[in-house]
């Protein structure tokens, strides 16, 4: 007597939700972030995720069904042609700036200059439209010719001047490019929307679809670059802090809008520069943690479940996590000492993690099982734990990943 | 007097350090002595990093101060002021990976520690590593990679160096976010380092003058 896909969906989601709420499900749940693994698994190049919707959906579904996790974090189809038209400078993707067998990567740079903090702080929308967008997309460069927008939009005559500017050749051609992209997107929209539904219908709930960032990371990843943001801690600390404060409500609002639009209360918050590899405890509590904490609390207040990926080593920062509300946040760990984390976070936060990529990629099935056993025994013994790889599974050996899933389903049963 | 300069720079006091350098120059101090102090200060910074007192922002800022000092002092030097180097180190981020942050910090730290560094950049093809190893004749080759795809690129690079008959004349170190001893064995590198100071220490261990 098999269960229906709907029943399985509910069962799987319930397992994960129980773990997040620090309850003991029937067994340790398994979450997979599939990323480019479907391509690796089926023996094709990664560029399929950017240029062949049907194929990408098909192999993503096949991978999920074959591995059968309780929850899946998929990479939706990304239309590479759209970003090509926009001449996106900030990203290289398989088949565009990188070999078709490699995963996409951000091109970090100093997209915002050191003396532009005032522009960001005074008016983020204007700053984004006239400064960041023109530098991030070649096709949008003409937008840097516009004057500050508020100067045009108060009073009755300004709108006519704005229209005049928008009709000038370089800007009007940028607008035509945008419209072309818009038409491409509109044509794709039914498919992009269908992707999530297709996975749902298989009976597999999805982890989180909206992705939001710690305000410091927005500055460091997207605007100033790592070097710029870190030198600013010394040379421009007040401006850096003011900019971080300014970005907080923007990130909060974006998260709420996206979560609502997608209809998933779990929001993904991947952290980049807050770990002990990057900054000191003092730098963390000055520039990173206060606004990150406010972001997480705002999501919890709005009824959302922040799923925070603590990339890097947070072993020395575990005490901070006790400031987050009990059972309302998922802490996904990377190289943090997960066994120590359990001791600190026990009865407070659910932990997701952390089978090393090195084991999954170059280890043996037995080594994977041994590590999973240790995780289940020591971290998962009384609930509040979700089994998952430590980081990307793009290059892992399928048999090792399968061993992780199967072993957990078998050995991870709570008796 | 020089201790004061070393301490100011080691404490990452940019303005005060540069002001003092200008004063020392005005007073007729030998620019080579100032550069020597700056190197000593960088050693202190490295030690503090190793002890977990300093982090990446502090390393980067110390680098900026060093650059500031060089800008003031170098025009006054007859030679390039670099003196003899302790050895040669070839560095690059392996094929398919375009991350440069970790590699740049390693390059910088190895350079200021007195080694001649050739940085091949990012997404470096296997053949380029082989070709440049032949040309540059380094004692140490450093392979950097942040992504898990780098494991295989590193492995291929090491294999190509073996096939070119270059493996015995070099030591290979690897580093990056997901690198550990399992990966080191898989790649068949001689060692992995968890940060830039570890890389410097490996160079010191391998290149005995």
């Amino acid at each position: 007597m098999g269960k229906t896909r709907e029943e399985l969906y509910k069962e799987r989601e319930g397992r994960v939700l129980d773990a997040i709420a620090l309850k003991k499900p029937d067994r340790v749940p398994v979450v997979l972030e599939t990323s480019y693994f479907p391509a690796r698994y089926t023996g094709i190049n990664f560029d399929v995720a950017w240029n062949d919707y049907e194929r990408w959906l098909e192999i993503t579904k096949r991978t999920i069904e074959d591995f059968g996790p309780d929850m899946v974090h998929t990479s939706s189809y990304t239309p590479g042609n759209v970003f090509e038209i926009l001449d996106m400078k900030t990203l290289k993707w398989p088949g565009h700036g990188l070999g078709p067998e490699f995963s996409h990567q951000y091109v970090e740079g100093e997209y915002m200059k050191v003396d532009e903090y005032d522009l960001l702080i005074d008016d983020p929308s204007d700053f984004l439209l006239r400064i960041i967008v023109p530098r991030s997309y070649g096709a949008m460069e003409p937008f840097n010719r516009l004057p500050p927008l508020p100067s045009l939009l108060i009073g009755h005559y300004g709108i006519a001047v704005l229209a005049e500017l928008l009709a000038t050749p370089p800007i009007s051609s940028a607008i035509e490019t945008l419209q072309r992209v818009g038409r491409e997107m509109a044509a794709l929209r039914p498919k992009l929307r269908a992707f999530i539904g297709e996975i749902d219908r298989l009976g597999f709930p999805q982890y989180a679809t909206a992705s939001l960032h710690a305000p410091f990371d927005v500055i460091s990843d997207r605007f100033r670059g790592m070097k710029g943001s870190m030198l600013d801690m010394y040379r421009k600390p007040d401006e850096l802090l003011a900019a971080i404060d300014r970005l907080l409500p923007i990130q909060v609002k974006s998260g709420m809008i996206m979560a609502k639009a997608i209809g998933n209360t779990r929001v993904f918050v991947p952290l980049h520069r807050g770990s002990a590899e990057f900054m000191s405890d003092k730098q963390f509590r000055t520039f990173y943690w206060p606004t990150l904490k406010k972001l997480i609390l705002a999501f919890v207040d709005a009824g959302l479940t922040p799923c925070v990926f603590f990339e890097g080593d947070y072993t020395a920062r575990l005490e901070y996590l006790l400031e987050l509300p009990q059972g309302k946040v998922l802490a996904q760990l990377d190289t943090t000492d997960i066994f120590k984390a359990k001791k600190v976070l026990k009865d407070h936060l659910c932990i997701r993690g952390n089978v090393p990529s090195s084991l999954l990629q170059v280890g043996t099935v037995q080594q994977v099982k041994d590590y999973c056993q240790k995780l289940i025994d020591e971290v998962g013994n009384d609930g509040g734990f979700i089994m998952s790889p430590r980081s990307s599974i793009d290059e892992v050996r399928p048999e090792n990943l399968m061993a992780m899933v199967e072993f957990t389903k078998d050995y991870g049963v709570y008796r | 007097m020089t201790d004061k300069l070393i301490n100011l720079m080691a404490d990452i006091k940019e303005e005060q350090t540069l002001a003092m350098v200008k004063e020392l120059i005005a007073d007729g101090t030998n620019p080579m002595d100032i550069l020597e102090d700056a190197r000593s200060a960088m050693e202190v910074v490295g030690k503090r990093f190793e002890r977990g007192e300093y982090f990446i922002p502090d390393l980067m800022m110390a680098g900026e101060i060093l650059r500031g000092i060089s800008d003031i002092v170098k025009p006054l030097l007859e030679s390039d002021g670099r003196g003899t180097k302790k050895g040669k180190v070839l560095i690059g981020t392996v094929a398919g990976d375009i991350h440069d942050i970790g590699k740049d910090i390693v390059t910088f730290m190895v350079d200021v520690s007195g080694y001649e560094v050739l940085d091949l950049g990012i997404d470096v093809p296997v053949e380029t590593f082989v070709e440049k190893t032949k040309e540059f004749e380094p004692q140490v080759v450093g392979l950097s990679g942040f992504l898990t795809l780098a494991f295989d690129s590193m492995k291929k690079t090491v294999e190509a160096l073996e096939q070119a008959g270059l493996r015995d004349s070099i030591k290979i170190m690897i580093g990056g976010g997901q690198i550990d001893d399992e990966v080191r064995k898989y790649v068949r590198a001689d060692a992995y380092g968890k940060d830039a100071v570890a890389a410097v220490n490996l160079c010191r261990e391998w290149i005995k003058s």
Side-chain angles (χ1 to χ4, degrees):
Chain A
M1 195 186 71
K3 291 173 183 165
T4 65
R5 288 182 187 275
E6 287 81 13
E7 284 166 343
L8 285 168
Y9 183 101
K10 282 209 179 99
E11 187 179 292
R12 289 171 179 140
E13 186 174 42
R15 210 169 265 142
V16 173
L17 296 182
D18 278 353
I20 295 176
L22 301 169
K23 287 184 243 167
K24 225 183 198 183
D26 57 343
R27 65 161 167 78
V28 172
V30 185
V31 171
L32 285 186
E33 185 176 348
T34 51
S35 189
Y36 288 98
F37 178 70
R40 154 110 188 164
Y41 177 54
T42 53
I44 57 174
N45 276 330
F46 290 3
D47 58 343
V48 65
W50 293 77
N51 59 26
D52 188 345
Y53 174 88
E54 314 296 340
R55 191 92 191 272
W56 182 240
L57 175 62
E58 181 221 315
I59 62 173
T60 298
K61 283 163 70 175
R62 198 200 311 169
T63 305
I64 294 168
E65 289 212 285
D66 286 358
F67 285 82
D70 293 299
M71 202 171 263
V72 62
H73 194 172
T74 57
S75 294
S76 292
Y77 177 73
T78 315
N81 62 326
V82 156
F83 293 108
E84 239 162 72
I85 298 171
L86 287 168
D87 185 16
M88 180 159 55
K89 314 273 191 200
T90 53
L91 195 68
K92 293 183 178 189
W93 61 91
H96 184 94
L98 288 168
E101 73 278 32
F102 296 127
S103 54
H104 69 269
Q105 293 162 54
Y106 287 95
V107 182
E108 207 174 287
E110 202 177 17
Y111 298 101
M112 165 189 169
K113 307 284 175 243
V114 66
D115 57 1
E116 290 173 337
Y117 273 105
D118 283 349
L119 295 172
L120 163 61
I121 295 161
D122 286 349
D123 188 343
S125 299
D126 186 66
F127 164 79
L128 287 166
L129 188 68
R130 293 192 308 112
I131 310 285
I132 294 297
V133 164
R135 289 177 191 164
S136 305
Y137 306 90
M140 293 299 108
E141 204 191 335
F143 275 57
N144 66 11
R145 296 160 182 247
L146 290 170
L149 293 181
S151 68
L152 287 174
L153 299 175
I154 299 172
H156 65 276
Y157 200 76
I159 193 84
V161 176
L162 176 62
E164 185 185 346
L165 290 169
L166 295 180
T168 55
I171 300 179
S172 66
S173 93
I175 291 170
E176 276 160 30
T177 305
L178 276 180
Q179 289 175 331
R180 208 177 125 208
V181 167
R183 284 189 293 271
E184 294 272 346
M185 285 298 287
L188 263 173
R189 182 55 60 196
K191 289 184 171 183
L192 296 175
R193 200 176 285 133
F195 196 96
I196 294 173
E198 290 263 359
I199 312 288
D200 279 345
R201 271 192 296 282
L202 289 179
F204 293 94
Q206 292 176 70
Y207 186 63
T209 320
S211 178
L212 283 306
H213 300 275
F216 179 87
D217 285 336
V218 177
I219 303 261
S220 187
D221 291 349
R222 299 302 162 92
F223 297 168
R224 292 282 295 130
M226 177 164 110
K227 187 172 179 190
S229 66
M230 295 201 159
L231 296 180
D232 294 345
M233 288 181 182
Y234 274 99
R235 289 171 170 167
K236 297 262 175 187
D238 297 337
E239 289 89 339
L240 176 57
L241 281 173
I244 287 168
D245 283 340
R246 196 74 171 91
L247 288 168
L248 172 65
I250 297 173
Q251 288 292 294
V252 171
K253 256 182 239 161
S254 311
M256 291 181 188
I257 292 168
M258 281 192 247
K260 201 174 167 198
I262 297 159
N264 183 336
T265 56
R266 292 176 290 276
V267 287
F268 184 45
V269 187
L271 307 182
H272 291 151
R273 302 279 155 80
S275 72
E277 288 93 338
F278 283 112
M279 57 174 78
S280 71
D281 186 66
K282 189 176 173 216
Q283 287 154 351
F284 178 75
R285 61 173 192 268
T286 306
F287 297 104
Y288 205 90
W289 178 245
T291 43
L292 170 61
K293 182 180 165 185
K294 283 180 190 161
L295 180 74
I296 294 171
L297 293 181
F299 287 151
V300 172
D301 281 346
L304 304 176
T305 303
C307 301
V308 187
F309 176 38
F310 292 89
E311 187 176 61
D313 188 352
Y314 279 77
T315 311
R317 315 232 199 279
L318 288 168
E319 305 287 334
Y320 289 97
L321 274 58
L322 293 172
E323 296 171 27
L324 302 175
Q326 187 184 28
K328 302 279 187 197
V329 178
L330 174 57
Q332 181 190 350
L333 302 181
D334 177 20
T335 53
T336 296
D337 179 344
I338 198 167
F339 305 101
K340 182 166 181 220
K342 179 66 179 186
K343 291 194 182 94
V344 178
L345 301 176
K346 188 177 171 9
D347 305 324
H348 199 84
L349 289 187
C350 174
I351 297 170
R352 174 186 156 187
N354 81 344
V355 185
S357 314
S358 55
L359 267 192
L360 291 170
Q361 198 164 327
V362 306
T364 62
V365 162
Q366 192 55 46
Q367 283 174 309
V368 170
K369 285 183 183 172
D370 291 346
Y371 191 85
C372 291
Q373 179 167 353
K374 192 165 177 299
L375 281 178
I376 292 167
D377 287 345
E378 294 181 34
V379 187
N381 55 341
D382 53 359
F385 171 66
I386 295 170
M387 180 70 75
S388 116
R390 175 174 292 184
S391 67
S392 163
I393 59 167
D394 289 350
E395 312 285 334
V396 303
R397 286 182 184 150
E399 65 270 29
N400 286 3
L401 190 66
M402 190 63 93
M404 183 196 89
V405 176
E406 295 294 322
F407 181 82
T408 305
K409 286 183 179 177
D410 176 37
Y411 186 78
V413 173
Y414 291 112
R415 293 168 215 280
Chain B
M1 188 180 80
T2 51
D3 271 0
K4 195 181 162 201
L5 181 64
I6 295 171
N7 290 338
L8 277 178
M9 183 173 162
D11 291 343
I12 327 268
K13 306 281 185 204
E14 183 182 26
E15 282 174 26
Q16 288 160 268
T17 305
L18 296 183
M20 186 171 175
V21 167
K22 283 176 193 155
E23 273 172 38
L24 288 171
I25 295 283
D27 291 348
T29 306
N30 183 346
M32 280 306 290
D33 293 344
I34 294 174
L35 272 188
E36 205 41 53
D37 283 353
R39 282 198 198 107
S40 305
M42 279 310 296
E43 263 179 49
V44 178
V45 169
K47 291 252 158 53
R48 290 182 186 173
F49 182 83
E50 223 174 354
R51 287 202 298 265
E53 296 164 23
Y54 277 175
F55 291 80
I56 304 279
D58 317 302
L59 273 190
M60 288 188 150
M61 197 61 219
E64 282 290 293
I65 299 176
L66 183 65
R67 198 171 54 87
I69 294 176
S70 298
D71 287 349
I72 299 170
V73 168
K74 286 272 168 73
L76 307 172
L77 295 174
E78 284 171 13
S79 70
D80 69 352
R82 297 183 136 235
T84 39
K85 291 289 183 179
K86 295 179 196 165
K88 290 181 178 181
V89 181
L90 182 77
I91 286 176
T93 302
V94 295
D97 198 324
I98 62 168
H99 289 86
D100 57 6
I101 290 168
K103 171 192 65 72
D104 287 354
I105 296 170
V106 171
T107 297
F108 166 71
M109 287 302 287
V110 173
D111 177 54
V112 300
S113 303
Y115 298 91
E116 187 180 351
V117 186
L118 178 61
D119 182 344
L120 300 179
I122 54 176
D123 190 9
V124 178
V126 168
E127 312 81 65
T128 309
F129 271 109
V130 172
E131 195 184 303
K132 293 292 169 185
T133 301
K134 278 183 196 158
E135 268 174 42
F136 183 60
E137 298 181 339
Q139 288 101 325
V140 176
V141 173
L143 306 179
S144 172
F146 178 71
L147 301 173
T148 54
L149 64 82
F151 302 177
D152 280 322
S153 292
M154 286 176 174
K155 189 168 192 263
K156 285 178 192 153
T157 306
V158 173
E159 282 166 2
L161 289 166
E162 281 167 2
Q163 277 156 21
L166 299 164
R167 186 68 181 85
D168 294 340
S169 60
I170 50 170
K171 291 282 190 184
I172 298 176
M173 59 182 181
I174 60 173
Q178 293 292 331
I179 304 291
D180 60 17
D181 204 51
E182 287 301 320
V183 180
R184 200 238 356 126
K185 282 186 241 164
Y186 175 73
V187 167
R188 292 217 300 272
D190 294 297
Y192 82 97
K194 72 172 178 58
D195 55 42
V197 173
V200 171
N201 289 338
L202 286 170
C203 292
R204 287 206 178 111
E205 190 189 317
W206 287 336
I207 305 175
K208 305 274 191 210
S209 42

